[in-house]
Amino acid sequence: MNLTNCPFCNHHLLYNLQDNYKKCKSCKRKFSLKKLETDITIINYFCNNINANKTAQILELNYRTVQNRYMLFRRLIANFLDEEYNMSIKDNSSYQEYYYFTTREQNKKTRSLFDAINIIGFYSSKKIYTLLMPKLPKHSIESSTKDYEYYLKWHKLYSINSYKTPLGIFWKYLEENLKKYKGVDEKNFFYYLKECEFKFNYLQNKQINILKDLYFKY
């Protein structure tokens, strides 16, 4: 790996150390070229939608090591998107509420809207932004079923006009991308949601550059 600048501060002067390590004169960080190259490769695999298990197999790494990297990437992305939204011009040209059902909920014979993950999506400045909302307060089973049936009828009618909007396209993208994980733990859903938001908003090369910058500043 040919490295001319520090990946952490971009300073041009690096010292060569033993065992293929380098040290930056400016920020004083020491780093392994081999580990650095591996981390960059993992970032590329992540942005190419290759899951942690497959990445670990290809690179002959421990699955837990790769999965920990992936979860770190998702946390960095979530913080990045939060800052992007706060700094954006919020024209909020459109917004929509969406109910996502986990694989477990989808497999139930009777679905309740009150068990769905409630998401608000905004389309602003030509980007999608999402917020997780509290779950709907539960009522009786009969009430839950009726409300869910009402929602399905409404959503079917609404989708006729909305499925081609940026938000409508994003909801479909979200559903399709989360399928590959074969079940997302609800406590981590926020980070997978933000991963999809990030990958929907930015082209792959841009994703890689942003994530590399975030990772090396971490």
Side-chain angles (χ1 to χ4, degrees):
M1 182 179 184
N2 185 21
L3 190 69
T4 57
N5 290 64
C6 174
F8 304 102
C9 71
N10 204 38
H11 195 267
H12 66 280
L13 189 55
L14 301 174
Y15 297 120
N16 292 318
L17 305 177
Q18 292 182 342
D19 300 325
N20 209 23
Y21 272 75
K22 287 185 178 289
K23 180 178 179 180
C24 175
K25 181 180 180 181
S26 178
C27 68
K28 312 299 182 185
R29 295 281 294 268
K30 297 179 183 179
F31 55 92
S32 162
L33 288 179
K34 183 178 180 181
K35 181 180 179 299
L36 184 66
E37 190 169 12
T38 298
D39 288 343
I40 291 173
T41 302
I42 294 175
I43 287 173
N44 277 271
Y45 278 50
F46 176 84
C47 294
N48 274 279
N49 293 317
I50 300 173
N51 65 39
N53 187 47
K54 186 67 175 177
T55 297
Q57 292 176 10
I58 294 171
L59 300 180
E60 298 181 344
L61 296 170
N62 180 277
Y63 165 75
R64 183 54 56 189
T65 299
V66 177
Q67 178 64 3
N68 287 342
R69 284 284 189 283
Y70 274 35
M71 286 308 299
L72 172 59
F73 297 161
R74 293 180 182 113
R75 289 195 293 270
L76 293 173
I77 284 169
N79 291 333
F80 167 77
L81 293 175
D82 185 52
E83 291 177 5
E84 285 284 289
Y85 179 70
N86 289 332
M87 293 190 305
S88 68
I89 300 173
K90 299 174 183 63
D91 56 21
N92 292 336
S93 52
S94 63
Y95 63 92
Q96 185 181 355
E97 190 171 16
Y98 188 78
Y99 296 97
Y100 175 82
F101 290 93
T102 62
T103 303
R104 179 181 177 183
E105 293 298 326
Q106 289 175 13
N107 290 334
K108 287 184 177 179
K109 291 182 180 179
T110 303
R111 271 189 223 172
S112 169
L113 189 60
F114 302 98
D115 291 323
I117 297 174
N118 190 6
I119 309 168
I120 291 286
F122 299 92
Y123 181 64
S124 177
S125 304
K126 297 184 178 180
K127 286 187 174 68
I128 297 292
Y129 299 97
T130 61
L131 294 174
L132 278 185
M133 304 297 290
K135 285 194 171 186
L136 298 177
K138 288 191 176 183
H139 301 289
S140 67
I141 295 176
E142 182 181 357
S143 173
S144 298
T145 303
K146 287 181 178 179
D147 284 343
Y148 179 59
E149 289 175 353
Y150 174 79
Y151 166 73
L152 289 180
K153 290 177 182 178
W154 172 86
H155 188 65
K156 184 176 181 180
L157 292 171
Y158 187 77
S159 295
I160 293 174
N161 298 317
S162 69
Y163 75 98
K164 289 185 178 180
T165 66
L167 279 168
I169 294 170
F170 174 73
W171 301 133
K172 182 67 175 176
Y173 174 86
L174 177 68
E175 292 276 358
E176 290 300 315
N177 274 269
L178 291 182
K179 284 180 182 178
K180 68 186 178 187
Y181 295 113
K182 303 185 187 304
V184 175
D185 191 320
E186 196 168 328
K187 69 180 181 181
N188 291 322
F189 180 83
F190 171 77
Y191 297 107
Y192 287 87
L193 170 65
K194 289 300 171 179
E195 176 188 347
C196 289
E197 180 184 323
F198 177 70
K199 291 179 176 179
F200 187 84
N201 283 337
Y202 296 97
L203 295 174
Q204 195 173 85
N205 286 341
K206 184 68 173 176
Q207 293 171 30
I208 293 170
N209 289 333
I210 291 172
L211 191 49
K212 282 167 63 177
D213 186 56
L214 293 173
Y215 181 66
F216 293 126
K217 286 181 178 177
Y218 168 71

